[in-house]
Amino acid sequence: MCGIVGYTGTRPAGPIVLEGLRRLEYRGYDSAGIALFDRDHGLFVARATGKLDRLIQRVEGTLPPAVAGIGHTRWATHGEPSDQNAHPHLDPSGRVAVVHNGIIENYHALRARFLERGAVFLSETDTEVLAFLLAERLERGEDLLDALRGVAGEAQGAYALLAVDAEEPGRIVAARVGNAGGIVIGLGDGEHLLASDLGALIPHTRRVTFLEPGEFADVRADGLAFVDADGRTIEKTVAVQPYDVVAAAKGRFRHFMLKEIHEQPETVQYALHGYSPDPPRVVMDGLPFSDAEIRALTRVVLIGMGTSMHAAMVGRHYIERFARIPAEVDNSAEFRYRGPVLDEHTLVISISQSGETVDTLAGMEEARRAGCPQVTICNTPGAQATRIAHGTVYMRTGPEIAVASTKTMVASMLLLHGIALHLGRVRGTLDPSLARQQIEAALHVPAAVGAALELEPRLAEIADRYSRYEDFLFLGRGLGYPLALEGALKLKEVSYIHAEGYAAGEMKHGPIALIDERMPTVAIAPHDEVFDKMLSNIEQVRARHGSVIAFVSHGERAVDGLANEVVELPAVDPALFPLVGVVPMQLLAYHIAVQRGADVDQPRNLAKTVTVE
Ligand code: M6R
């Protein structure tokens, strides 16, 4: 979380840094700040609580045309959102400025050293002490980069950090410590840029290199050098990154979330590019394992967080059904700490849109230590997850800007379907006729997702009727269960309504006590082998005066007159139902949030990428 940007070159840095922050605002948006510095203008610092616009208003007409600068958009970890806690932070003499993403675990102990000497800290952050530590070393005559390495040795945690010294105009140093918070460095013409992720650099350059954990960069307009923690020079590879900038604009849509929901037919179309029905085959780019390695697998573990974990839950069904390999799903944050039993025949599949989610990266490291083969499903070129896994299956959805994940979940589910079909074919566990049927069915999904989008007016109407409720229950079984979890997650994150997602079979074991006329239930009830059970659940809710919004298969009549609202979904193969069924969950949450006047793309307290524990 938090976005950091740096620029050094010949152009005025202020607008470049602010524009970079705009592109990183999804990472945190409770305050923002900027520091500009060069030989002619000294060190200019401005900060503002609230979204980036507040900072822009505050600095309007006052930004010096300095040619170097750093900026920060914050997601608070230590200290409330306030001007004082906003970055950049300075040392008491105002010589050093730092911006930081991540957590300094021993900051209390580090601060104590200065407090004993009577120093005064202006913020409650864990970051400010880094400026003090750097200044202390500079006063002792250390070079800025050496000082940064020294500070990184003292400050424990996982973080990314940019620092500048007002006495060395135009020089920015960067550190990446541990797995939290990436730094990508862009190489321009007589200029260099730094940012938490690629999206902030793309308007200026596509030639980039990524800082790995334990690496440090020394960046000037006309020079770039990298060292490791011991100060040894590192040669880095510069790659040209493809990235669709146009996709990062809202276009005709009111919100990014709505735009991204509407992009899903293309998302699935793209994810199907390796599917061919005759002979039935799915070619998955990025799966690095030989047939012998695939045959030797005894187990698959899928890990992810939030929406990505819900996609993993759908993937588990696919792996077990089509590849017949025992599969389990774990929340990455639980997986990493419970000492999972793993070996070299356990395939670990991680799902992460950003590829930078700290718990998922830690889970992947755990798997790496155990020697597991690993593949990651990721949307961000060059993200850390792609560098830990043996192979990456890219979602290729284009940037997902809204904090609420939508199109990346659809892509992840379909890619997991493809991986399962591929594993099943190689292992000989997938009947060719089933393979052909699934591939043919999958090729209809883009049209079915498109048809699901046509339900939007109906969902907006339902949203209008239900947006005043404060509690919702989402129920589903089988492949509908991950959708129930996802529907509840979407609703709570964008509309701030309390929503619970449950496996419908669990309802009578507790949640049923909540049901009354004030708590509507969303029932995900496709016509599958457990439909009759879902029907009973709907009856039970109605018997307790709860309203029911039922999502059913095309042509289903069994809930007419029973549920208060019945939404028929476009026809799709039952195994692929989640790809279509998730669309109305997203649209319902979106329209309820709009009705309630919520900040749909940047919900309170959240950030797109969670790089702290
Ligand atoms: O970048 P990741 O896919 O690893 O992110 C995981 C979760 O933080 C994410 O899916 C989150 O739950 C969604 N933004 C919710 O819509």
Side-chain angles (χ1 to χ4, degrees):
M1 357 255 306
C2 300
I4 56 184
V5 183
Y7 172 84
T8 178
T10 52
R11 296 187 280 160
I16 297 172
V17 171
L18 291 174
E19 191 211 331
L21 291 180
R22 172 76 70 213
R23 288 170 181 273
L24 295 181
E25 209 183 359
Y26 71 88
R27 299 174 68 100
Y29 34 79
D30 58 43
S31 56
I34 187 167
L36 301 174
F37 69 117
D38 67 10
R39 207 169 299 283
D40 300 329
H41 301 94
L43 185 62
F44 166 94
V45 177
R47 308 183 195 91
T49 314
K51 291 193 178 180
L52 182 62
D53 285 336
R54 294 275 299 277
L55 175 69
I56 292 174
Q57 280 162 13
R58 185 167 287 182
V59 298
E60 201 170 358
T62 66
L63 277 186
V67 294
I70 55 177
H72 188 270
T73 177
R74 180 168 187 249
W75 185 85
T77 58
H78 296 68
E80 62 172 3
S82 66
D83 285 8
Q84 283 84 356
N85 290 331
H87 299 213
H89 290 287
L90 308 181
D91 73 297
S93 73
R95 175 177 176 179
V96 171
V98 297
V99 291
H100 157 239
N101 166 26
I103 288 177
I104 309 300
E105 287 163 2
N106 58 338
Y107 82 103
H108 278 298
L110 295 172
R111 270 170 92 121
R113 262 173 41 199
F114 292 96
L115 291 171
E116 278 162 19
R117 290 183 229 149
V120 176
F121 286 89
L122 302 179
S123 79
E124 302 150 292
T125 65
D126 54 340
T127 307
E128 192 180 359
V129 72
L130 300 175
F132 282 52
L133 290 165
L134 274 167
E136 183 182 57
R137 287 173 176 269
L138 293 177
E139 290 303 326
R140 290 205 299 256
E142 285 186 30
D143 168 72
L144 181 59
L145 187 65
D146 293 338
L148 184 68
R149 287 193 300 108
V151 169
E154 290 181 87
Q156 293 159 11
Y159 54 90
L161 174 69
L162 302 187
V164 301
D165 173 5
E167 293 184 13
E168 282 203 81
R171 185 181 184 195
I172 304 174
V173 291
R176 180 164 187 200
V177 179
N179 255 335
I183 294 190
V184 53
I185 296 164
L187 290 75
D189 232 357
E191 61 185 19
H192 289 111
L193 299 105
L194 306 98
S196 300
D197 69 43
L198 198 53
L201 305 188
I202 282 303
H204 307 285
T205 181
R206 286 172 188 232
R207 293 199 306 131
V208 302
T209 188
F210 294 89
L211 221 53
E212 297 291 341
E215 292 183 350
F216 298 79
D218 193 352
V219 186
R220 303 168 206 249
D222 56 358
L224 188 55
F226 299 94
V227 296
D228 65 13
D230 298 320
R232 286 184 298 252
T233 300
I234 306 170
E235 294 304 327
K236 304 269 308 166
T237 321
V238 173
V240 178
Q241 291 290 342
Y243 199 86
D244 185 355
V245 186
V246 181
K250 256 184 275 190
R252 69 186 166 89
F253 293 96
R254 183 168 165 200
H255 295 103
F256 278 110
M257 182 180 176
L258 188 61
K259 170 179 179 264
E260 290 158 4
I261 291 171
H262 278 265
E263 284 170 352
Q264 293 178 118
E266 288 158 273
T267 300
V268 283
Q269 187 69 57
Y270 197 85
L272 286 168
H273 72 273
Y275 281 58
S276 54
D278 215 6
R281 186 163 285 240
V282 177
V283 178
M284 296 303 298
D285 298 339
L287 263 194
F289 311 115
S290 68
D291 288 2
E293 286 167 327
I294 289 174
R295 283 190 207 101
L297 295 174
T298 54
R299 180 170 157 237
V300 175
V301 174
L302 300 112
I303 59 171
M305 298 296 287
T307 296
S308 289
M309 188 187 73
H310 300 156
M313 291 172 74
V314 173
R316 169 177 53 191
H317 281 261
Y318 294 152
I319 303 277
E320 294 202 327
R321 197 176 293 187
F322 302 129
R324 304 300 301 152
I325 312 175
E328 54 202 76
V329 176
D330 227 321
N331 167 299
S332 314
E334 294 298 315
F335 175 80
R336 63 180 291 193
Y337 287 120
R338 71 176 164 73
V341 179
L342 300 166
D343 62 25
E344 66 278 19
H345 301 301
T346 304
L347 172 64
V348 173
I349 305 181
S350 50
I351 297 129
S352 178
Q353 180 282 133
S354 60
E356 300 288 354
T357 296
V358 67
D359 286 310
T360 299
L361 295 181
M364 294 176 73
E365 291 291 0
E366 182 74 23
R368 172 148 77 178
R369 281 190 287 279
C372 302
Q374 287 201 64
V375 64
T376 191
I377 299 180
C378 183
N379 197 35
T380 312
Q384 184 61 13
T386 69
R387 286 173 287 174
I388 300 175
H390 297 106
T392 301
V393 177
Y394 276 108
M395 299 174 189
R396 296 189 204 279
T397 70
E400 188 177 68
I401 307 292
V403 165
S405 298
T406 53
K407 60 181 178 175
T408 55
M409 182 183 184
V410 165
S412 304
M413 292 189 288
L414 193 51
L415 293 170
L416 285 162
H417 181 261
I419 290 172
L421 294 181
H422 175 74
L423 298 182
R425 183 187 60 78
V426 172
R427 292 165 67 91
T429 46
L430 177 64
D431 186 277
S433 61
L434 178 57
R436 184 187 306 274
Q437 182 274 332
Q438 279 298 302
I439 289 168
E440 282 170 356
L443 295 173
H444 291 297
V445 170
V449 170
L453 290 171
E454 287 168 20
L455 295 170
E456 187 168 359
R458 170 89 174 107
L459 291 159
E461 183 192 298
I462 296 175
D464 193 31
R465 271 200 285 287
Y466 288 84
S467 62
R468 280 168 297 279
Y469 287 86
E470 292 302 331
D471 304 279
F472 273 74
L473 184 63
F474 284 70
L475 297 178
R477 287 174 183 260
L479 285 165
Y481 171 40
L483 285 197
L485 295 178
E486 179 61 9
L489 173 62
K490 284 284 95 76
L491 186 63
K492 61 189 137 194
E493 72 179 321
V494 297
S495 72
Y496 316 145
I497 291 174
H498 165 237
E500 304 262 4
Y502 268 96
E506 188 72 18
M507 186 181 86
K508 290 194 284 299
H509 299 271
I512 197 165
L514 294 170
I515 290 170
D516 61 18
E517 64 285 352
R518 284 165 305 178
M519 186 172 196
T521 295
V522 174
I524 299 154
H527 204 108
D528 56 15
E529 60 281 6
V530 284
F531 176 67
D532 288 345
K533 313 281 173 212
M534 273 309 298
L535 213 50
S536 307
N537 291 132
I538 293 172
E539 299 267 12
Q540 289 148 10
V541 172
R542 293 297 290 129
R544 283 153 187 87
H545 309 293
S547 309
V548 173
I549 306 167
F551 291 93
V552 299
S553 297
H554 187 68
E556 180 64 63
R557 297 270 75 90
V559 286
D560 289 1
L562 179 60
N564 304 67
E565 314 283 346
V566 181
V567 181
E568 280 182 48
L569 298 179
V572 66
D573 180 88
L576 294 159
F577 169 77
L579 288 145
V580 176
V582 75
V583 177
M585 302 297 121
Q586 300 163 344
L587 287 168
L588 183 65
Y590 172 80
H591 283 285
I592 289 181
V594 169
Q595 289 285 336
R596 290 169 71 101
D599 189 346
V600 174
D601 283 338
Q602 295 181 329
R604 70 183 180 205
N605 303 340
L606 287 171
K608 182 73 177 161
T609 307
V610 181
T611 57
V612 293
E613 281 189 74

mmCIF file of all heavy atoms in Angstrom, residues 304-309 351-357 360 395 400 402-406 408 486 489-490 493 606-610, ligand 1:
data_model
loop_
_atom_site.group_PDB
_atom_site.id
_atom_site.type_symbol
_atom_site.label_atom_id
_atom_site.label_comp_id
_atom_site.label_asym_id
_atom_site.label_seq_id
_atom_site.Cartn_x
_atom_site.Cartn_y
_atom_site.Cartn_z
ATOM 1 N N GLY A 304 -4.224 -17.215 -2.235
ATOM 2 C CA GLY A 304 -4.563 -15.860 -2.673
ATOM 3 C C GLY A 304 -5.262 -15.164 -1.527
ATOM 4 O O GLY A 304 -5.508 -15.751 -0.466
ATOM 5 N N MET A 305 -5.596 -13.904 -1.741
ATOM 6 C CA MET A 305 -6.311 -13.129 -0.727
ATOM 7 C C MET A 305 -7.538 -12.489 -1.371
ATOM 8 O O MET A 305 -7.525 -12.140 -2.547
ATOM 9 C CB MET A 305 -5.422 -12.002 -0.173
ATOM 10 C CG MET A 305 -4.160 -12.468 0.530
ATOM 11 S SD MET A 305 -4.456 -13.427 2.031
ATOM 12 C CE MET A 305 -5.004 -12.166 3.155
ATOM 13 N N GLY A 306 -8.567 -12.292 -0.572
ATOM 14 C CA GLY A 306 -9.747 -11.562 -1.028
ATOM 15 C C GLY A 306 -10.342 -12.188 -2.283
ATOM 16 O O GLY A 306 -10.568 -13.400 -2.365
ATOM 17 N N THR A 307 -10.582 -11.346 -3.260
ATOM 18 C CA THR A 307 -11.188 -11.810 -4.506
ATOM 19 C C THR A 307 -10.329 -12.893 -5.165
ATOM 20 O O THR A 307 -10.852 -13.855 -5.745
ATOM 21 C CB THR A 307 -11.366 -10.605 -5.456
ATOM 22 O OG1 THR A 307 -12.295 -9.704 -4.843
ATOM 23 C CG2 THR A 307 -11.873 -11.017 -6.810
ATOM 24 N N SER A 308 -9.028 -12.733 -5.083
ATOM 25 C CA SER A 308 -8.154 -13.741 -5.702
ATOM 26 C C SER A 308 -8.317 -15.096 -5.019
ATOM 27 O O SER A 308 -8.232 -16.142 -5.669
ATOM 28 C CB SER A 308 -6.691 -13.277 -5.644
ATOM 29 O OG SER A 308 -6.512 -12.214 -6.545
ATOM 30 N N MET A 309 -8.576 -15.078 -3.715
ATOM 31 C CA MET A 309 -8.806 -16.357 -3.036
ATOM 32 C C MET A 309 -10.148 -16.959 -3.476
ATOM 33 O O MET A 309 -10.277 -18.175 -3.615
ATOM 34 C CB MET A 309 -8.785 -16.179 -1.521
ATOM 35 C CG MET A 309 -8.821 -17.514 -0.800
ATOM 36 S SD MET A 309 -9.005 -17.371 0.958
ATOM 37 C CE MET A 309 -10.713 -16.891 1.094
ATOM 38 N N ILE A 351 -2.597 -16.757 -6.859
ATOM 39 C CA ILE A 351 -3.386 -15.847 -7.689
ATOM 40 C C ILE A 351 -3.253 -14.464 -7.093
ATOM 41 O O ILE A 351 -3.538 -14.262 -5.904
ATOM 42 C CB ILE A 351 -4.860 -16.291 -7.750
ATOM 43 C CG1 ILE A 351 -4.918 -17.668 -8.423
ATOM 44 C CG2 ILE A 351 -5.710 -15.317 -8.552
ATOM 45 C CD1 ILE A 351 -5.668 -18.653 -7.681
ATOM 46 N N SER A 352 -2.808 -13.520 -7.905
ATOM 47 C CA SER A 352 -2.659 -12.152 -7.406
ATOM 48 C C SER A 352 -2.688 -11.189 -8.582
ATOM 49 O O SER A 352 -1.788 -11.225 -9.420
ATOM 50 C CB SER A 352 -1.347 -12.012 -6.627
ATOM 51 O OG SER A 352 -1.194 -10.691 -6.197
ATOM 52 N N GLN A 353 -3.699 -10.349 -8.611
ATOM 53 C CA GLN A 353 -3.793 -9.329 -9.654
ATOM 54 C C GLN A 353 -2.521 -8.482 -9.669
ATOM 55 O O GLN A 353 -1.915 -8.286 -10.700
ATOM 56 C CB GLN A 353 -5.034 -8.469 -9.377
ATOM 57 C CG GLN A 353 -5.303 -7.348 -10.343
ATOM 58 C CD GLN A 353 -4.440 -6.126 -10.148
ATOM 59 O OE1 GLN A 353 -3.906 -5.608 -11.127
ATOM 60 N NE2 GLN A 353 -4.244 -5.674 -8.935
ATOM 61 N N SER A 354 -2.152 -7.987 -8.495
ATOM 62 C CA SER A 354 -1.009 -7.073 -8.403
ATOM 63 C C SER A 354 0.315 -7.810 -8.466
ATOM 64 O O SER A 354 1.324 -7.264 -8.900
ATOM 65 C CB SER A 354 -1.061 -6.314 -7.081
ATOM 66 O OG SER A 354 -1.011 -7.238 -6.002
ATOM 67 N N GLY A 355 0.331 -9.037 -7.958
ATOM 68 C CA GLY A 355 1.606 -9.761 -7.828
ATOM 69 C C GLY A 355 2.475 -9.161 -6.743
ATOM 70 O O GLY A 355 3.664 -9.463 -6.647
ATOM 71 N N GLU A 356 1.897 -8.305 -5.890
ATOM 72 C CA GLU A 356 2.681 -7.655 -4.837
ATOM 73 C C GLU A 356 2.023 -7.806 -3.466
ATOM 74 O O GLU A 356 2.479 -7.196 -2.503
ATOM 75 C CB GLU A 356 2.857 -6.152 -5.126
ATOM 76 C CG GLU A 356 3.558 -5.811 -6.432
ATOM 77 C CD GLU A 356 5.059 -6.099 -6.428
ATOM 78 O OE1 GLU A 356 5.608 -6.467 -5.368
ATOM 79 O OE2 GLU A 356 5.681 -5.972 -7.510
ATOM 80 N N THR A 357 0.951 -8.562 -3.366
ATOM 81 C CA THR A 357 0.268 -8.731 -2.075
ATOM 82 C C THR A 357 1.219 -9.428 -1.097
ATOM 83 O O THR A 357 1.672 -10.543 -1.354
ATOM 84 C CB THR A 357 -1.020 -9.555 -2.278
ATOM 85 O OG1 THR A 357 -1.873 -8.787 -3.115
ATOM 86 C CG2 THR A 357 -1.722 -9.860 -0.979
ATOM 87 N N THR A 360 0.619 -13.074 0.042
ATOM 88 C CA THR A 360 0.748 -14.062 -1.038
ATOM 89 C C THR A 360 2.227 -14.260 -1.382
ATOM 90 O O THR A 360 2.687 -15.387 -1.590
ATOM 91 C CB THR A 360 -0.094 -13.630 -2.245
ATOM 92 O OG1 THR A 360 -1.458 -13.558 -1.815
ATOM 93 C CG2 THR A 360 0.019 -14.608 -3.405
ATOM 94 N N MET A 395 -2.892 -12.651 -16.670
ATOM 95 C CA MET A 395 -4.328 -12.403 -16.866
ATOM 96 C C MET A 395 -4.560 -11.563 -18.120
ATOM 97 O O MET A 395 -5.592 -11.691 -18.758
ATOM 98 C CB MET A 395 -4.899 -11.644 -15.654
ATOM 99 C CG MET A 395 -4.788 -12.391 -14.352
ATOM 100 S SD MET A 395 -5.344 -11.327 -12.982
ATOM 101 C CE MET A 395 -4.848 -12.320 -11.578
ATOM 102 N N GLU A 400 -6.245 -2.852 -13.952
ATOM 103 C CA GLU A 400 -7.488 -2.789 -13.174
ATOM 104 C C GLU A 400 -7.266 -1.679 -12.147
ATOM 105 O O GLU A 400 -6.435 -1.813 -11.247
ATOM 106 C CB GLU A 400 -7.752 -4.129 -12.484
ATOM 107 C CG GLU A 400 -9.118 -4.192 -11.825
ATOM 108 C CD GLU A 400 -9.377 -5.561 -11.213
ATOM 109 O OE1 GLU A 400 -8.708 -5.912 -10.217
ATOM 110 O OE2 GLU A 400 -10.230 -6.294 -11.740
ATOM 111 N N ALA A 402 -9.931 0.290 -10.460
ATOM 112 C CA ALA A 402 -10.849 0.319 -9.309
ATOM 113 C C ALA A 402 -10.295 -0.585 -8.220
ATOM 114 O O ALA A 402 -9.741 -1.651 -8.506
ATOM 115 C CB ALA A 402 -12.234 -0.153 -9.728
ATOM 116 N N VAL A 403 -10.462 -0.156 -6.992
ATOM 117 C CA VAL A 403 -9.960 -0.978 -5.886
ATOM 118 C C VAL A 403 -10.682 -2.326 -5.851
ATOM 119 O O VAL A 403 -10.082 -3.367 -5.597
ATOM 120 C CB VAL A 403 -10.105 -0.199 -4.550
ATOM 121 C CG1 VAL A 403 -9.946 -1.119 -3.356
ATOM 122 C CG2 VAL A 403 -9.047 0.910 -4.500
ATOM 123 N N ALA A 404 -11.972 -2.308 -6.132
ATOM 124 C CA ALA A 404 -12.725 -3.563 -6.160
ATOM 125 C C ALA A 404 -12.337 -4.366 -7.403
ATOM 126 O O ALA A 404 -12.474 -3.890 -8.524
ATOM 127 C CB ALA A 404 -14.216 -3.265 -6.173
ATOM 128 N N SER A 405 -11.877 -5.569 -7.197
ATOM 129 C CA SER A 405 -11.460 -6.407 -8.331
ATOM 130 C C SER A 405 -12.676 -6.986 -9.033
ATOM 131 O O SER A 405 -13.600 -7.476 -8.371
ATOM 132 C CB SER A 405 -10.598 -7.563 -7.833
ATOM 133 O OG SER A 405 -9.451 -7.057 -7.234
ATOM 134 N N THR A 406 -12.684 -6.945 -10.327
ATOM 135 C CA THR A 406 -13.795 -7.519 -11.096
ATOM 136 C C THR A 406 -13.242 -8.368 -12.245
ATOM 137 O O THR A 406 -13.240 -9.583 -12.178
ATOM 138 C CB THR A 406 -14.703 -6.390 -11.645
ATOM 139 O OG1 THR A 406 -13.898 -5.443 -12.356
ATOM 140 C CG2 THR A 406 -15.468 -5.713 -10.536
ATOM 141 N N THR A 408 -10.325 -9.058 -13.186
ATOM 142 C CA THR A 408 -9.202 -9.969 -12.915
ATOM 143 C C THR A 408 -9.692 -11.265 -12.269
ATOM 144 O O THR A 408 -9.057 -12.302 -12.415
ATOM 145 C CB THR A 408 -8.112 -9.298 -12.054
ATOM 146 O OG1 THR A 408 -8.712 -8.788 -10.862
ATOM 147 C CG2 THR A 408 -7.439 -8.171 -12.813
ATOM 148 N N GLU A 486 -17.831 -13.760 -2.765
ATOM 149 C CA GLU A 486 -17.416 -12.622 -3.581
ATOM 150 C C GLU A 486 -18.510 -11.553 -3.624
ATOM 151 O O GLU A 486 -18.216 -10.348 -3.553
ATOM 152 C CB GLU A 486 -17.065 -13.112 -4.996
ATOM 153 C CG GLU A 486 -16.635 -12.024 -5.960
ATOM 154 C CD GLU A 486 -15.385 -11.254 -5.546
ATOM 155 O OE1 GLU A 486 -14.708 -11.640 -4.582
ATOM 156 O OE2 GLU A 486 -15.109 -10.226 -6.191
ATOM 157 N N LEU A 489 -18.351 -9.734 -0.421
ATOM 158 C CA LEU A 489 -17.148 -8.877 -0.362
ATOM 159 C C LEU A 489 -17.337 -7.615 -1.204
ATOM 160 O O LEU A 489 -17.044 -6.497 -0.761
ATOM 161 C CB LEU A 489 -15.918 -9.665 -0.836
ATOM 162 C CG LEU A 489 -14.616 -8.876 -0.992
ATOM 163 C CD1 LEU A 489 -14.171 -8.287 0.335
ATOM 164 C CD2 LEU A 489 -13.501 -9.763 -1.550
ATOM 165 N N LYS A 490 -17.850 -7.803 -2.423
ATOM 166 C CA LYS A 490 -18.045 -6.637 -3.300
ATOM 167 C C LYS A 490 -18.978 -5.639 -2.639
ATOM 168 O O LYS A 490 -18.718 -4.445 -2.637
ATOM 169 C CB LYS A 490 -18.649 -7.041 -4.660
ATOM 170 C CG LYS A 490 -17.726 -7.698 -5.655
ATOM 171 C CD LYS A 490 -16.766 -6.758 -6.351
ATOM 172 C CE LYS A 490 -15.441 -6.725 -5.668
ATOM 173 N NZ LYS A 490 -14.513 -7.771 -5.805
ATOM 174 N N GLU A 493 -17.343 -3.834 0.415
ATOM 175 C CA GLU A 493 -16.228 -2.915 0.156
ATOM 176 C C GLU A 493 -16.657 -1.660 -0.598
ATOM 177 O O GLU A 493 -16.107 -0.594 -0.352
ATOM 178 C CB GLU A 493 -15.046 -3.607 -0.526
ATOM 179 C CG GLU A 493 -15.246 -3.989 -1.960
ATOM 180 C CD GLU A 493 -14.019 -4.644 -2.569
ATOM 181 O OE1 GLU A 493 -12.891 -4.224 -2.280
ATOM 182 O OE2 GLU A 493 -14.194 -5.576 -3.360
ATOM 183 N N LEU A 606 -9.467 1.303 2.219
ATOM 184 C CA LEU A 606 -8.896 0.238 1.382
ATOM 185 C C LEU A 606 -7.750 0.760 0.517
ATOM 186 O O LEU A 606 -7.554 1.965 0.386
ATOM 187 C CB LEU A 606 -9.970 -0.334 0.461
ATOM 188 C CG LEU A 606 -11.022 -1.208 1.129
ATOM 189 C CD1 LEU A 606 -12.138 -1.525 0.158
ATOM 190 C CD2 LEU A 606 -10.393 -2.496 1.614
ATOM 191 N N ALA A 607 -7.034 -0.152 -0.076
ATOM 192 C CA ALA A 607 -6.031 0.182 -1.091
ATOM 193 C C ALA A 607 -6.017 -0.977 -2.065
ATOM 194 O O ALA A 607 -6.365 -2.106 -1.708
ATOM 195 C CB ALA A 607 -4.667 0.353 -0.468
ATOM 196 N N LYS A 608 -5.635 -0.711 -3.278
ATOM 197 C CA LYS A 608 -5.673 -1.749 -4.299
ATOM 198 C C LYS A 608 -4.683 -2.869 -3.996
ATOM 199 O O LYS A 608 -4.960 -4.035 -4.215
ATOM 200 C CB LYS A 608 -5.372 -1.110 -5.663
ATOM 201 C CG LYS A 608 -5.429 -2.068 -6.835
ATOM 202 C CD LYS A 608 -6.845 -2.443 -7.156
ATOM 203 C CE LYS A 608 -6.961 -3.337 -8.368
ATOM 204 N NZ LYS A 608 -8.274 -4.019 -8.369
ATOM 205 N N THR A 609 -3.509 -2.472 -3.561
ATOM 206 C CA THR A 609 -2.469 -3.470 -3.350
ATOM 207 C C THR A 609 -2.064 -3.461 -1.884
ATOM 208 O O THR A 609 -1.687 -2.407 -1.362
ATOM 209 C CB THR A 609 -1.255 -3.146 -4.236
ATOM 210 O OG1 THR A 609 -1.726 -2.999 -5.571
ATOM 211 C CG2 THR A 609 -0.230 -4.248 -4.192
ATOM 212 N N VAL A 610 -2.154 -4.610 -1.257
ATOM 213 C CA VAL A 610 -1.910 -4.672 0.183
ATOM 214 C C VAL A 610 -0.487 -5.162 0.421
ATOM 215 O O VAL A 610 -0.215 -6.360 0.394
ATOM 216 C CB VAL A 610 -2.952 -5.582 0.872
ATOM 217 C CG1 VAL A 610 -2.728 -5.628 2.366
ATOM 218 C CG2 VAL A 610 -4.355 -5.051 0.583
HETATM 219 O O1 M6R B 1 -3.519 -8.067 -5.953
HETATM 220 P P1 M6R B 1 -4.184 -9.276 -5.361
HETATM 221 O O2 M6R B 1 -5.028 -10.010 -6.308
HETATM 222 O O3 M6R B 1 -3.197 -10.156 -4.639
HETATM 223 O O4 M6R B 1 -5.127 -8.666 -4.227
HETATM 224 C C1 M6R B 1 -5.765 -9.496 -3.329
HETATM 225 C C2 M6R B 1 -6.879 -8.769 -2.622
HETATM 226 O O5 M6R B 1 -6.371 -7.674 -1.909
HETATM 227 C C3 M6R B 1 -7.931 -8.268 -3.602
HETATM 228 O O6 M6R B 1 -8.453 -9.315 -4.363
HETATM 229 C C4 M6R B 1 -9.077 -7.575 -2.873
HETATM 230 O O7 M6R B 1 -9.755 -8.468 -2.056
HETATM 231 C C5 M6R B 1 -9.995 -6.977 -3.913
HETATM 232 N N1 M6R B 1 -9.495 -5.702 -4.319
HETATM 233 C C6 M6R B 1 -11.376 -6.872 -3.470
HETATM 234 O O8 M6R B 1 -12.191 -6.412 -4.499
#
